[in-house]
Amino acid sequence: MSFTFKEELKKAVAETEAVVYSYLPEEEGHQKTIFQAMNYSVKAGGKRLRPLLMRETFRMLGGEGTDVEPFMAAIEMIHTSSLIHDDLPCMDNDELRRGKPTTWKMFGYDMAVLAGDALMIYAFETAAKALKQGADPARVGRAMGILAEKTGIYGMIGGQTVDVELTGRPVPAEKLDFIYRLKTGALLEASMMIGAVLAGAAEDEIRKVESIASNVGLAFQIQDDILDVTGTAEELGKPVLSDEKNSKTTYVTIEGLEKAREDVKRISGQALEELRELPGEKEFLVQLIEMLMSRKN
């Protein structure tokens, strides 16, 4: 990763984070505890990958203005909601995320459940604000549909369902692929597809963007599996060997470490090939995807 790209990425993440934070609720009123739990969770750090991918896809395909910003905040709220619930004692039972106490450890099990639910609903309330900003209603409607589908039973939650049901049991390779493509890939698909839709991209371009994001998501999750067995708690900001502790089948346990590493390169390479077929300036996106596949955390 070049010094120039590091600086560009740092600036882009800061800008993206500022957009997300601008849509968070004020911590006041009788129910301020839920606002505090929501904001704590969103502000706990992270790569801001999904809103960043959304913005860069929007720009690459000719999008201008702020139409995309409510959706950038919304996708990060949904992602954070899923992390809150993943960490719960009834799920992965993790006490540390990004080097900080998880939401349930900080606010209690009950408030963490509510915070996750609240962020999921508030995400759609936030996305709808694009209409007040004058965004094209048809594009916003399509984007809202994508956001709901990729979040729900045919997307992230569908993948989480199969993942939870098979915890502690052997997972066939085809079901693991299904889990990864929905649990991780679906929100990445939503991010890039929404960016394309709001930019007014052609239908074939939107489909290509979906395919790119699907491969990025799969490679990203395989890299996560690799880091779970090769990384350190200090690098990852969370416990290592979490999958082993929870008796989870992963890509590494099925295919082995070396094959997993080879497949990250192959799958991300496919995504980059398709990306280069799209119009617009894409060098930042290319470098971002390359960085994600060689990351240490």
Side-chain angles (χ1 to χ4, degrees), residues 21 119 165 197-198 202 215 297:
Y21 287 6
L119 279 169
E165 285 182 332
V197 166
L198 293 176
N215 280 329
N297 58 33

Side-chain angles (χ1 to χ4, degrees), residues 94 96-99 224 228 232-240:
D94 281 329
L96 195 67
R97 180 175 289 277
R98 298 166 182 156
D224 260 5
D228 191 67
T232 66
E234 290 74 23
E235 288 174 328
L236 300 179
K238 61 181 180 179
V240 295

Side-chain angles (χ1 to χ4, degrees), residues 1-2 5 8 272 282-292:
M1 185 165 55
S2 70
F5 177 67
E8 287 181 15
L272 290 170
K282 59 187 74 66
E283 187 54 34
F284 182 86
L285 265 176
V286 168
Q287 291 190 65
L288 177 60
I289 291 170
E290 289 175 343
M291 179 274 293
L292 290 173

Side-chain angles (χ1 to χ4, degrees), residues 50-122:
R50 289 150 192 84
L52 183 55
L53 283 171
M54 185 185 292
R55 187 188 74 165
E56 292 305 315
T57 304
F58 176 75
R59 290 179 173 179
M60 177 182 70
L61 294 171
E64 297 179 348
T66 61
D67 292 357
V68 73
E69 291 186 356
F71 282 92
M72 289 169 62
I75 200 76
E76 190 69 1
M77 290 173 190
I78 289 171
H79 173 56
T80 303
S81 167
S82 74
L83 300 183
I84 293 172
H85 286 168
D86 275 351
D87 290 334
L88 291 173
C90 64
M91 302 282 271
D92 290 345
N93 194 27
D94 281 329
E95 298 183 2
L96 195 67
R97 180 175 289 277
R98 298 166 182 156
K100 299 177 181 178
T102 51
T103 306
W104 75 269
K105 285 299 292 183
M106 194 73 178
F107 292 90
Y109 196 152
D110 50 1
M111 201 56 61
V113 171
L114 289 173
D117 292 346
L119 279 169
M120 185 78 71
I121 296 299
Y122 192 58

Side-chain angles (χ1 to χ4, degrees), residues 268-280:
S268 58
Q270 291 172 355
L272 290 170
E273 281 183 26
E274 286 194 290
L275 177 61
R276 291 188 174 101
E277 295 170 4
L278 289 170

